[in-house]
PDB file of all heavy atoms in Angstrom:
ATOM      1  N   ARG J 245      96.935 106.016 127.519  1.00  0.00           N
ATOM      2  CA  ARG J 245      97.628 105.446 126.382  1.00  0.00           C
ATOM      3  C   ARG J 245      97.718 106.492 125.296  1.00  0.00           C
ATOM      4  O   ARG J 245      96.730 107.164 124.999  1.00  0.00           O
ATOM      5  CB  ARG J 245      96.853 104.218 125.867  1.00  0.00           C
ATOM      6  CG  ARG J 245      97.540 103.516 124.728  1.00  0.00           C
ATOM      7  CD  ARG J 245      96.792 102.241 124.338  1.00  0.00           C
ATOM      8  NE  ARG J 245      95.426 102.487 123.950  1.00  0.00           N
ATOM      9  CZ  ARG J 245      94.377 102.246 124.721  1.00  0.00           C
ATOM     10  NH1 ARG J 245      94.550 101.760 125.922  1.00  0.00           N
ATOM     11  NH2 ARG J 245      93.149 102.496 124.307  1.00  0.00           N
ATOM     12  N   PRO J 246      98.878 106.670 124.661  1.00  0.00           N
ATOM     13  CA  PRO J 246      99.013 107.705 123.646  1.00  0.00           C
ATOM     14  C   PRO J 246      98.070 107.470 122.489  1.00  0.00           C
ATOM     15  O   PRO J 246      97.867 106.341 122.064  1.00  0.00           O
ATOM     16  CB  PRO J 246     100.478 107.582 123.189  1.00  0.00           C
ATOM     17  CG  PRO J 246     101.162 106.858 124.295  1.00  0.00           C
ATOM     18  CD  PRO J 246     100.135 105.972 124.896  1.00  0.00           C
ATOM     19  N   GLY J 247      97.505 108.528 121.948  1.00  0.00           N
ATOM     20  CA  GLY J 247      96.630 108.411 120.797  1.00  0.00           C
ATOM     21  C   GLY J 247      97.168 109.224 119.654  1.00  0.00           C
ATOM     22  O   GLY J 247      98.210 109.827 119.731  1.00  0.00           O
ATOM     23  N   ALA J 248      96.448 109.239 118.575  1.00  0.00           N
ATOM     24  CA  ALA J 248      96.867 110.020 117.422  1.00  0.00           C
ATOM     25  C   ALA J 248      95.637 110.468 116.682  1.00  0.00           C
ATOM     26  O   ALA J 248      94.528 110.030 116.940  1.00  0.00           O
ATOM     27  CB  ALA J 248      97.774 109.198 116.515  1.00  0.00           C
ATOM     28  N   GLY J 249      95.808 111.332 115.696  1.00  0.00           N
ATOM     29  CA  GLY J 249      94.702 111.744 114.856  1.00  0.00           C
ATOM     30  C   GLY J 249      94.162 110.570 114.096  1.00  0.00           C
ATOM     31  O   GLY J 249      94.816 109.570 113.907  1.00  0.00           O
ATOM     32  N   ASP J 250      92.913 110.664 113.647  1.00  0.00           N
ATOM     33  CA  ASP J 250      92.285 109.540 112.976  1.00  0.00           C
ATOM     34  C   ASP J 250      92.793 109.395 111.554  1.00  0.00           C
ATOM     35  O   ASP J 250      93.198 110.343 110.913  1.00  0.00           O
ATOM     36  CB  ASP J 250      90.764 109.745 112.962  1.00  0.00           C
ATOM     37  CG  ASP J 250      90.224 109.865 114.383  1.00  0.00           C
ATOM     38  OD1 ASP J 250      90.572 108.985 115.195  1.00  0.00           O
ATOM     39  OD2 ASP J 250      89.488 110.816 114.662  1.00  0.00           O
ATOM     40  N   THR J 251      92.748 108.155 111.093  1.00  0.00           N
ATOM     41  CA  THR J 251      93.260 107.888 109.758  1.00  0.00           C
ATOM     42  C   THR J 251      92.309 108.415 108.705  1.00  0.00           C
ATOM     43  O   THR J 251      91.099 108.468 108.906  1.00  0.00           O
ATOM     44  CB  THR J 251      93.442 106.374 109.537  1.00  0.00           C
ATOM     45  OG1 THR J 251      92.164 105.761 109.724  1.00  0.00           O
ATOM     46  CG2 THR J 251      94.428 105.797 110.506  1.00  0.00           C
ATOM     47  N   PRO J 252      92.825 108.756 107.525  1.00  0.00           N
ATOM     48  CA  PRO J 252      91.942 109.201 106.465  1.00  0.00           C
ATOM     49  C   PRO J 252      91.097 108.060 105.960  1.00  0.00           C
ATOM     50  O   PRO J 252      91.422 106.915 106.132  1.00  0.00           O
ATOM     51  CB  PRO J 252      92.909 109.712 105.390  1.00  0.00           C
ATOM     52  CG  PRO J 252      94.215 109.104 105.706  1.00  0.00           C
ATOM     53  CD  PRO J 252      94.228 108.810 107.154  1.00  0.00           C
ATOM     54  N   GLY J 253      89.989 108.403 105.303  1.00  0.00           N
ATOM     55  CA  GLY J 253      89.176 107.361 104.713  1.00  0.00           C
ATOM     56  C   GLY J 253      88.121 106.844 105.652  1.00  0.00           C
ATOM     57  O   GLY J 253      87.606 105.763 105.449  1.00  0.00           O
ATOM     58  N   GLY J 254      87.809 107.580 106.723  1.00  0.00           N
ATOM     59  CA  GLY J 254      86.652 107.202 107.521  1.00  0.00           C
ATOM     60  C   GLY J 254      86.953 106.685 108.888  1.00  0.00           C
ATOM     61  O   GLY J 254      86.074 106.178 109.541  1.00  0.00           O
ATOM     62  N   SER J 255      88.185 106.752 109.388  1.00  0.00           N
ATOM     63  CA  SER J 255      88.466 106.308 110.743  1.00  0.00           C
ATOM     64  C   SER J 255      87.917 107.319 111.714  1.00  0.00           C
ATOM     65  O   SER J 255      87.883 108.502 111.459  1.00  0.00           O
ATOM     66  CB  SER J 255      89.980 106.177 110.949  1.00  0.00           C
ATOM     67  OG  SER J 255      90.510 105.296 110.021  1.00  0.00           O
ATOM     68  N   SER J 256      87.525 106.848 112.875  1.00  0.00           N
ATOM     69  CA  SER J 256      87.112 107.763 113.922  1.00  0.00           C
ATOM     70  C   SER J 256      87.525 107.192 115.246  1.00  0.00           C
ATOM     71  O   SER J 256      87.032 106.175 115.674  1.00  0.00           O
ATOM     72  CB  SER J 256      85.602 108.001 113.876  1.00  0.00           C
ATOM     73  OG  SER J 256      84.898 106.824 114.031  1.00  0.00           O
ATOM     74  N   GLY J 257      88.473 107.841 115.933  1.00  0.00           N
ATOM     75  CA  GLY J 257      88.967 107.330 117.202  1.00  0.00           C
ATOM     76  C   GLY J 257      88.087 107.794 118.344  1.00  0.00           C
ATOM     77  O   GLY J 257      87.372 108.772 118.263  1.00  0.00           O
ATOM     78  N   GLY J 258      88.168 107.073 119.478  1.00  0.00           N
ATOM     79  CA  GLY J 258      87.396 107.432 120.647  1.00  0.00           C
ATOM     80  C   GLY J 258      85.985 106.906 120.575  1.00  0.00           C
ATOM     81  O   GLY J 258      85.512 106.434 119.552  1.00  0.00           O
ATOM     82  N   ALA J 259      85.258 106.979 121.679  1.00  0.00           N
ATOM     83  CA  ALA J 259      83.920 106.409 121.746  1.00  0.00           C
ATOM     84  C   ALA J 259      82.921 107.334 121.077  1.00  0.00           C
ATOM     85  O   ALA J 259      83.038 108.548 121.083  1.00  0.00           O
ATOM     86  CB  ALA J 259      83.537 106.187 123.208  1.00  0.00           C
ATOM     87  N   ARG J 260      81.903 106.715 120.471  1.00  0.00           N
ATOM     88  CA  ARG J 260      80.787 107.465 119.924  1.00  0.00           C
ATOM     89  C   ARG J 260      79.512 106.919 120.538  1.00  0.00           C
ATOM     90  O   ARG J 260      79.410 105.750 120.846  1.00  0.00           O
ATOM     91  CB  ARG J 260      80.691 107.297 118.398  1.00  0.00           C
ATOM     92  CG  ARG J 260      81.839 107.881 117.616  1.00  0.00           C
ATOM     93  CD  ARG J 260      81.498 107.866 116.142  1.00  0.00           C
ATOM     94  NE  ARG J 260      81.124 106.542 115.697  1.00  0.00           N
ATOM     95  CZ  ARG J 260      80.222 106.294 114.762  1.00  0.00           C
ATOM     96  NH1 ARG J 260      79.586 107.277 114.194  1.00  0.00           N
ATOM     97  NH2 ARG J 260      79.939 105.068 114.398  1.00  0.00           N
ATOM     98  N   SER J 261      78.525 107.752 120.655  1.00  0.00           N
ATOM     99  CA  SER J 261      77.239 107.263 121.122  1.00  0.00           C
ATOM    100  C   SER J 261      76.574 106.487 120.007  1.00  0.00           C
ATOM    101  O   SER J 261      76.838 106.718 118.825  1.00  0.00           O
ATOM    102  CB  SER J 261      76.356 108.445 121.543  1.00  0.00           C
ATOM    103  OG  SER J 261      76.067 109.254 120.410  1.00  0.00           O
ATOM    104  N   PRO J 262      75.686 105.527 120.346  1.00  0.00           N
ATOM    105  CA  PRO J 262      75.078 104.700 119.312  1.00  0.00           C
ATOM    106  C   PRO J 262      74.334 105.486 118.263  1.00  0.00           C
ATOM    107  O   PRO J 262      74.160 105.024 117.158  1.00  0.00           O
ATOM    108  CB  PRO J 262      74.128 103.798 120.125  1.00  0.00           C
ATOM    109  CG  PRO J 262      74.730 103.758 121.497  1.00  0.00           C
ATOM    110  CD  PRO J 262      75.339 105.102 121.692  1.00  0.00           C
ATOM    111  N   GLY J 263      73.929 106.690 118.572  1.00  0.00           N
ATOM    112  CA  GLY J 263      73.156 107.442 117.599  1.00  0.00           C
ATOM    113  C   GLY J 263      73.972 108.280 116.655  1.00  0.00           C
ATOM    114  O   GLY J 263      73.423 108.987 115.825  1.00  0.00           O
TER     115      GLY J 263
END
Side-chain angles (χ1 to χ4, degrees):
R245 183 175 59 257
D250 301 310
T251 59
S255 302
S256 59
R260 294 190 306 146
S261 64

